[in-house]
Amino acid sequence: MERTGNKDWEKLNTYQQEAVLDESPACVVNANVGSGKTTVLIAKILYLHWEKKVPLEDMLVLTFTNKAAREITDRLRAREPELFPEQIRGFGTFHSVAMRLLKEKLSIEKAGWTRDFSVMEPEEETDLALRIIKEEKLNIKYKNRLKKRLEQEYQGYLEGKETSRYRDDLFRLYPLLQKEKQRENKMSFSDLLLVSTELIKEEKYFPAWIIADEIQDSDNLQLEFLAALKGEDTRIFAVGDPNQVIYSWRGSSDSTFFALKRQFGARELSLPVNYRSNASILEAANRFRQFGTRIQGTREGGKAIKVKRQYDPFTEAEYLAEQIESLHKSGERYEDTAILYRLQRQGEILCKVFDKRGIPYEISMKQTVKEVPALNWLIKVLRFSVNPRDKQTGEEVLQNPDFGEKLTRKKIRELLEEGKGTNFLYEKMKRFQDWSRGQTELPKSRTIFAYFGLGQALGPALAGFEEREAQVLKFLEWLENYCEEKRLPLWEGTKAFLDDAVLYGMDLQEMMGEEENSRKGVGLMTLHASKGLEFRRVYLIGMNQGLIPLRCKDLEQEEEERRLFFVGMTRAKDELELSYYVNPREPGVSGEWSRYLLGIPPKLLDWKEDSRKEKGEEKLHSLGREVREQIRAKREGEREAEIRKKEQEERTEKEEAAENVKENTAVRDMETEKETLEPGKSAALPSVRHRKYGEGIFISQNDLTVEVEFPGYGRKQFLKALGEVEFLSDTTEENHGG
DNA sequence: AAGATCTATCTTTTT
DNA sequence: GATAGATCTT
């Protein structure tokens, strides 16, 4: 692989060159939108590799998202086709690199796990916590917000604060949770960073170079991870843009960029030249920048930004469909246009109208494999199979009401905790390691399917069996291919596959073999989802007060809305059209146009307030009613499904409680203590008065409470001790006590 | 048990 | 700024 001089960087502008050639101990680059940030990163990596002879293996290239990681490795491979995968093992997201270090470099046993730990799903930790709360009878308040509380109060716990915010047992939960995760040998996302950071500090693992992308999106854990990795001779090169912080609700902040600079005493460079947008768009965007100097453009003039008044979302969808159809007829590709909006649900009406018109589109709502119940279950089957210590997951597999043999909770407990009794699937899962080790060659998906007896377990009698079977087979094929590609035997392959699945997500379309990365329709996406993309033509819709900006409570949030609008505008290369509704049909959104429209100099705008004929609009409006009704019905359906699910959960909980009562003979039957009047006596029932509900009829009572029925309000119970009800007929007074 | 009071969530979504 | 949900108070 000897080669002299990769002079890619000589073609770059002077700012970019300076960034590529920089060798300060620490350097942060303020990279503006469309300024060739990734180009610089790639050029820098190649420069270090070829000119400075820094082996790629000695670099860590860290990104926040998988998408960014993939872009870097793809572009690097395009430049260096002979790259070995081993050379770029240090390239990836913070979490995936942390995982790799824990699995390969650091002495993880010191921290209480073993090298073959598995990675937890994000919800798994809360489920585990709930189980511990139940088992240990901990008093934890606000359980519905447990996930957030666990995150928010962790810092305080570490700092040794006396007690949690609500003076409950939360601080007793942390160590128990930690112990249980170690016992089941699994780590959460934050464990990956926390534990690796600690071990790196102890063991002084220092790479030669750290290159970090999109640094403005990092949170504290990630910054600490970086700090731990920086040895005396380590150079750190971080790229980011404080103007593009749009995820601060998730832990990043617009000060992260500057905090990093301060922490490492970094040299600050900038990439001020934008190669993407025309001059009008850039000048308008400059008004919404919050940090740094203005962006320099590379293009003269360009079309003004169009502002359009729309009657309502439906008439707008029709308008956009017509525009796009006619543009397509004149030779423009669908994929060169994007429609951006603030809320996910704004996309629905566009989908409906585009479907009707046969316009191809790509919507930014990827379905993951986990959303298919059968696959979600299968993943759990496999997870338990490769880690039988994962009691939590084993329990979930056996508890599933639809798949596998129906078992009582008692039987499941016996199986998992005492090893009593037998169950076909359970045995298969426990023996998976032995079985797969015994295979001379990689088993086919069909063979794995048969091994677990999935033909039976997937509910052949239930509706949709064939589809389930096909999906499960497809999934197992995917697993088979993965093992083949990575040249791993089934057991090791399955383990790695499942960890990857948690870390990188599994896209359903990808599994079904539908081509990815080939945008072939109009892009429909939220402003958040548009980050990092560019389009020739952008429609930024719903520029109404309360939508863009979304109504927010504090200044900080308002600033973020501005950045979000900035990100949206700067996606456009040649044409940008902004629109607002007279009739937004969103709760809390007014028909006023966004004040952001007033923030753009009028000379950049093509804004003609043509008072359109209300009549034509009214006609479309009534057409729109039908579509709106459909969408409303769909949402209603989803809500009902949610409620049904909740009810189901409550029912199983009650069943379990009943089971416990049955088992525990010492518990007295409470029903007998409640003295109920016979229906026959109802004519003689006394009247009762309540301050709020008026006159009612006495129904029953026990030692503590009185039950009364009020016309129009139904039955209510009151504590006798509070004396809120007054008996009107004194004949029964003495029977009912005070 | 009911009423008062407190709190977070509306919205965005990644590892 | 309204509302749902949990907790506290009585």
Side-chain angles (χ1 to χ4, degrees), chain A residues 64-66 95 148 165 249 344 526 528 550 716-717:
Chain A
F64 185 68
T65 64
N66 288 306
H95 291 89
K148 220 166 192 176
R165 207 172 141 193
W249 39 270
Q344 206 71 256
T526 60
H528 284 90
L550 200 68
K716 303 270 174 201
Q717 286 184 37

Coordinates of all heavy atoms in Angstrom, one line a residue, chain A residues 64-66 95 148 165 249 344 526 528 550 716-717, chain B residues 1-3 6-15:
Chain A
F64 N -21.9 11.3 15.8 CA -23.1 11.2 16.7 C -24.1 10.1 16.1 O -24.6 9.3 16.9 CB -23.7 12.5 16.9 CG -24.8 12.5 17.8 CD1 -24.5 12.3 19.2 CD2 -26.1 12.6 17.4 CE1 -25.6 12.2 20.1 CE2 -27.2 12.5 18.3 CZ -26.9 12.3 19.7
T65 N -24.3 10.2 14.8 CA -25.3 9.3 14.3 C -24.6 8.2 13.4 O -23.6 8.4 12.9 CB -26.3 10.0 13.4 OG1 -25.6 10.6 12.3 CG2 -27.1 11.1 14.1
N66 N -25.4 7.1 13.2 CA -24.9 6.1 12.3 C -24.8 6.6 10.9 O -24.0 6.1 10.1 CB -25.9 4.9 12.4 CG -25.7 4.1 13.7 OD1 -24.6 3.7 14.1 ND2 -26.8 4.0 14.4
H95 N -21.1 5.5 20.7 CA -21.5 4.3 21.3 C -20.9 3.0 20.7 O -20.4 2.1 21.5 CB -23.0 4.2 21.4 CG -23.7 5.2 22.2 ND1 -24.0 6.5 21.8 CD2 -24.0 5.2 23.5 CE1 -24.5 7.2 22.7 NE2 -24.5 6.4 23.8
K148 N -37.0 9.1 32.6 CA -36.4 10.5 32.7 C -35.8 10.7 34.1 O -34.7 11.3 34.2 CB -37.5 11.5 32.5 CG -37.0 12.6 31.7 CD -38.1 13.5 31.1 CE -37.4 14.4 30.1 NZ -38.4 15.2 29.4
R165 N -34.9 13.8 44.5 CA -35.7 15.0 44.5 C -37.0 14.9 45.2 O -37.5 15.8 45.8 CB -36.0 15.3 43.0 CG -36.2 16.8 42.8 CD -36.3 17.0 41.3 NE -37.3 18.0 41.1 CZ -37.7 18.3 39.9 NH1 -37.3 17.6 38.8 NH2 -38.7 19.2 39.7
W249 N -33.1 19.3 23.5 CA -34.0 18.6 24.5 C -33.5 17.2 24.7 O -34.0 16.5 25.6 CB -35.4 18.5 23.9 CG -35.4 18.3 22.4 CD1 -35.4 19.2 21.4 CD2 -35.4 17.0 21.8 NE1 -35.4 18.6 20.2 CE2 -35.4 17.2 20.4 CE3 -35.4 15.7 22.2 CZ2 -35.4 16.2 19.5 CZ3 -35.4 14.6 21.3 CH2 -35.4 14.9 19.9
Q344 N -44.5 16.0 12.5 CA -44.6 14.7 11.8 C -46.0 14.6 11.2 O -46.1 14.2 10.0 CB -44.4 13.6 12.9 CG -43.9 12.3 12.3 CD -42.5 12.3 11.9 OE1 -42.2 12.4 10.7 NE2 -41.6 12.3 12.9
T526 N -39.8 16.1 8.4 CA -39.7 17.2 9.4 C -38.5 18.0 9.2 O -37.5 17.5 8.6 CB -39.8 16.6 10.8 OG1 -38.6 15.8 11.0 CG2 -41.0 15.8 11.1
H528 N -36.4 18.6 11.5 CA -35.3 17.8 12.1 C -34.7 16.8 11.2 O -33.5 16.7 11.1 CB -35.8 17.1 13.4 CG -36.0 18.0 14.5 ND1 -37.2 18.7 14.8 CD2 -35.2 18.4 15.5 CE1 -37.1 19.4 15.8 NE2 -35.9 19.3 16.3
L550 N -42.8 27.0 16.8 CA -43.8 26.3 17.6 C -43.9 27.1 18.9 O -42.9 27.6 19.4 CB -43.3 24.9 17.9 CG -44.3 23.8 18.3 CD1 -45.2 23.5 17.2 CD2 -43.5 22.5 18.8
K716 N -70.6 7.2 44.2 CA -69.4 7.8 44.8 C -69.2 7.2 46.1 O -70.2 6.9 46.8 CB -69.6 9.4 44.9 CG -69.9 10.1 43.6 CD -68.6 10.5 42.9 CE -69.0 11.1 41.6 NZ -67.9 11.1 40.6
Q717 N -68.0 7.2 46.5 CA -67.7 6.7 47.9 C -67.1 7.8 48.7 O -66.3 8.7 48.2 CB -66.7 5.5 47.8 CG -67.4 4.3 47.4 CD -66.5 3.1 47.4 OE1 -65.7 2.9 48.3 NE2 -66.7 2.2 46.4
Chain B
dA1 P -61.4 4.9 46.9 OP1 -61.2 3.6 47.3 OP2 -61.9 5.3 45.6 O5' -62.1 5.8 48.0 C5' -63.5 5.9 48.1 C4' -63.8 7.4 48.2 O4' -63.0 8.1 49.1 C3' -63.6 8.1 46.8 O3' -64.7 8.8 46.5 C2' -62.4 9.0 47.0 C1' -62.3 9.1 48.6 N9 -60.9 9.1 49.1 C8 -60.0 8.1 48.8 N7 -58.8 8.3 49.4 C5 -59.0 9.4 50.1 C6 -58.2 10.2 51.0 N6 -56.9 9.8 51.3 N1 -58.7 11.3 51.5 C2 -59.9 11.7 51.2 N3 -60.8 11.1 50.5 C4 -60.3 9.9 49.9
dA2 P -64.9 9.6 45.2 OP1 -66.3 9.6 44.9 OP2 -63.9 9.0 44.2 O5' -64.5 11.1 45.5 C5' -65.2 11.8 46.6 C4' -64.6 13.1 46.9 O4' -63.3 12.9 47.5 C3' -64.4 14.0 45.6 O3' -64.9 15.2 46.0 C2' -62.9 14.0 45.4 C1' -62.3 13.7 46.8 N9 -61.0 13.0 46.9 C8 -60.7 11.9 46.2 N7 -59.5 11.4 46.5 C5 -59.0 12.3 47.4 C6 -57.8 12.3 48.2 N6 -56.8 11.4 48.0 N1 -57.7 13.3 49.1 C2 -58.7 14.2 49.2 N3 -59.9 14.3 48.6 C4 -60.0 13.2 47.7
dG3 P -64.9 16.4 45.0 OP1 -66.2 17.2 45.3 OP2 -64.7 15.9 43.7 O5' -63.7 17.2 45.5 C5' -63.7 17.8 46.8 C4' -62.4 18.5 47.0 O4' -61.3 17.6 47.1 C3' -62.1 19.5 45.9 O3' -61.6 20.7 46.6 C2' -60.9 18.8 45.1 C1' -60.3 18.0 46.2 N9 -59.6 16.8 45.8 C8 -60.0 15.8 44.9 N7 -59.1 14.8 44.8 C5 -58.1 15.2 45.6 C6 -56.8 14.5 45.9 O6 -56.4 13.5 45.4 N1 -56.1 15.2 46.8 C2 -56.4 16.4 47.4 N2 -55.6 16.9 48.3 N3 -57.6 17.0 47.2 C4 -58.3 16.4 46.3
dC6 P -48.6 23.9 45.4 OP1 -47.9 24.4 46.6 OP2 -49.3 24.8 44.5 O5' -47.6 22.9 44.6 C5' -47.2 21.7 45.1 C4' -46.9 20.7 44.0 O4' -48.2 20.4 43.4 C3' -46.0 21.2 43.0 O3' -44.8 20.4 43.0 C2' -46.7 21.0 41.6 C1' -47.8 20.1 42.0 N1 -49.1 20.1 41.2 C2 -49.4 19.0 40.4 O2 -48.6 18.0 40.4 N3 -50.5 19.0 39.7 C4 -51.3 20.1 39.8 N4 -52.5 20.0 39.0 C5 -51.0 21.2 40.6 C6 -49.9 21.2 41.3
dT7 P -43.5 20.8 42.2 OP1 -42.4 20.1 43.0 OP2 -43.5 22.2 42.0 O5' -43.7 20.0 40.8 C5' -43.8 18.6 40.8 C4' -44.0 18.2 39.4 O4' -45.4 18.3 39.0 C3' -43.2 19.0 38.4 O3' -42.1 18.2 37.9 C2' -44.2 19.4 37.3 C1' -45.4 18.6 37.6 N1 -46.7 19.3 37.4 C2 -47.7 18.7 36.7 O2 -47.6 17.6 36.2 N3 -48.9 19.4 36.5 C4 -49.1 20.7 37.1 O4 -50.2 21.2 36.9 C5 -48.1 21.3 37.8 C7 -48.2 22.6 38.4 C6 -46.9 20.6 37.9
dA8 P -41.2 18.5 36.8 OP1 -39.9 17.7 37.0 OP2 -41.1 20.0 36.7 O5' -41.9 17.9 35.5 C5' -42.2 16.5 35.4 C4' -43.0 16.3 34.3 O4' -44.3 17.0 34.3 C3' -42.4 16.6 32.9 O3' -42.7 15.6 32.0 C2' -43.1 17.9 32.5 C1' -44.5 17.7 33.1 N9 -45.3 18.9 33.4 C8 -44.8 20.0 34.1 N7 -45.8 20.9 34.3 C5 -46.9 20.4 33.7 C6 -48.2 20.8 33.5 N6 -48.6 22.0 34.0 N1 -49.1 20.0 32.9 C2 -48.7 18.8 32.4 N3 -47.4 18.3 32.5 C4 -46.6 19.1 33.2
dT9 P -41.9 15.4 30.7 OP1 -41.5 14.0 30.7 OP2 -41.0 16.5 30.5 O5' -43.1 15.5 29.6 C5' -44.3 14.8 29.9 C4' -45.4 15.4 29.0 O4' -45.9 16.6 29.5 C3' -44.8 15.8 27.6 O3' -45.7 15.3 26.6 C2' -44.9 17.4 27.6 C1' -46.1 17.6 28.5 N1 -46.1 18.9 29.2 C2 -47.3 19.5 29.3 O2 -48.4 19.1 28.8 N3 -47.3 20.8 29.9 C4 -46.2 21.4 30.5 O4 -46.3 22.5 31.0 C5 -45.0 20.6 30.4 C7 -43.7 21.2 31.0 C6 -45.0 19.5 29.8
dC10 P -45.1 14.5 25.4 OP1 -45.6 13.1 25.4 OP2 -43.6 14.8 25.4 O5' -45.8 15.2 24.1 C5' -45.6 16.6 24.0 C4' -46.9 17.3 23.8 O4' -47.1 18.1 24.9 C3' -46.9 18.1 22.6 O3' -48.1 17.7 21.8 C2' -47.0 19.5 23.0 C1' -47.5 19.4 24.5 N1 -46.9 20.4 25.4 C2 -47.7 21.4 25.9 O2 -48.9 21.4 25.7 N3 -47.1 22.3 26.8 C4 -45.8 22.2 27.1 N4 -45.3 23.1 27.9 C5 -45.0 21.2 26.5 C6 -45.5 20.3 25.7
dT11 P -47.9 16.6 20.7 OP1 -49.1 16.8 19.8 OP2 -47.7 15.3 21.3 O5' -46.6 16.9 19.9 C5' -46.6 17.9 18.9 C4' -45.2 18.3 18.6 O4' -44.7 19.1 19.7 C3' -44.2 17.2 18.4 O3' -44.2 16.7 17.1 C2' -42.9 17.8 18.8 C1' -43.2 19.1 19.5 N1 -42.7 19.2 20.9 C2 -41.8 20.3 21.1 O2 -41.5 21.1 20.3 N3 -41.3 20.3 22.4 C4 -41.6 19.4 23.4 O4 -41.1 19.6 24.5 C5 -42.5 18.3 23.1 C7 -42.8 17.3 24.1 C6 -43.0 18.3 21.8
dT12 P -43.6 15.4 16.7 OP1 -44.1 15.1 15.3 OP2 -43.7 14.4 17.7 O5' -42.0 15.7 16.6 C5' -41.5 16.6 15.5 C4' -40.1 16.9 15.8 O4' -40.0 17.6 17.0 C3' -39.2 15.6 16.0 O3' -38.6 15.3 14.7 C2' -38.2 16.1 17.0 C1' -38.7 17.4 17.6 N1 -38.9 17.3 19.0 C2 -38.3 18.3 19.8 O2 -37.7 19.2 19.3 N3 -38.5 18.2 21.1 C4 -39.2 17.2 21.8 O4 -39.3 17.2 23.0 C5 -39.8 16.2 20.9 C7 -40.6 15.1 21.5 C6 -39.6 16.3 19.6
dT13 P -38.7 13.8 14.3 OP1 -38.4 13.8 12.8 OP2 -39.9 13.1 14.8 O5' -37.4 13.1 15.0 C5' -36.2 13.7 15.0 C4' -35.3 12.8 15.9 O4' -35.7 13.0 17.3 C3' -35.4 11.3 15.6 O3' -34.1 10.8 15.6 C2' -36.1 10.8 16.8 C1' -35.9 11.7 17.9 N1 -37.0 11.8 18.9 C2 -36.8 11.8 20.2 O2 -35.7 11.8 20.7 N3 -37.9 11.9 21.0 C4 -39.2 12.0 20.6 O4 -40.1 12.0 21.4 C5 -39.4 12.0 19.1 C7 -40.8 12.1 18.6 C6 -38.3 11.9 18.4
dT14 P -33.8 9.5 14.9 OP1 -34.5 9.4 13.7 OP2 -33.8 8.4 15.9 O5' -32.2 9.7 14.5 C5' -31.4 10.7 15.1 C4' -30.5 10.2 16.2 O4' -31.1 10.4 17.5 C3' -30.3 8.7 16.1 O3' -29.0 8.4 15.7 C2' -30.5 8.2 17.5 C1' -30.6 9.4 18.4 N1 -31.6 9.3 19.5 C2 -31.2 9.6 20.7 O2 -30.1 9.9 21.0 N3 -32.2 9.4 21.7 C4 -33.5 9.0 21.5 O4 -34.3 8.9 22.4 C5 -33.9 8.7 20.1 C7 -35.3 8.3 19.8 C6 -32.9 8.9 19.2
dT15 P -28.6 6.9 15.4 OP1 -27.5 7.0 14.4 OP2 -29.7 6.1 15.2 O5' -27.9 6.5 16.8 C5' -26.8 7.2 17.3 C4' -26.4 6.8 18.6 O4' -27.4 7.1 19.6 C3' -26.2 5.2 18.8 O3' -24.9 5.0 19.2 C2' -27.2 4.8 19.8 C1' -27.5 6.1 20.5 N1 -28.9 6.2 21.1 C2 -29.1 6.5 22.4 O2 -28.2 6.8 23.1 N3 -30.4 6.5 22.8 C4 -31.5 6.2 22.1 O4 -32.6 6.3 22.6 C5 -31.3 5.8 20.7 C7 -32.4 5.5 19.8 C6 -30.0 5.8 20.3

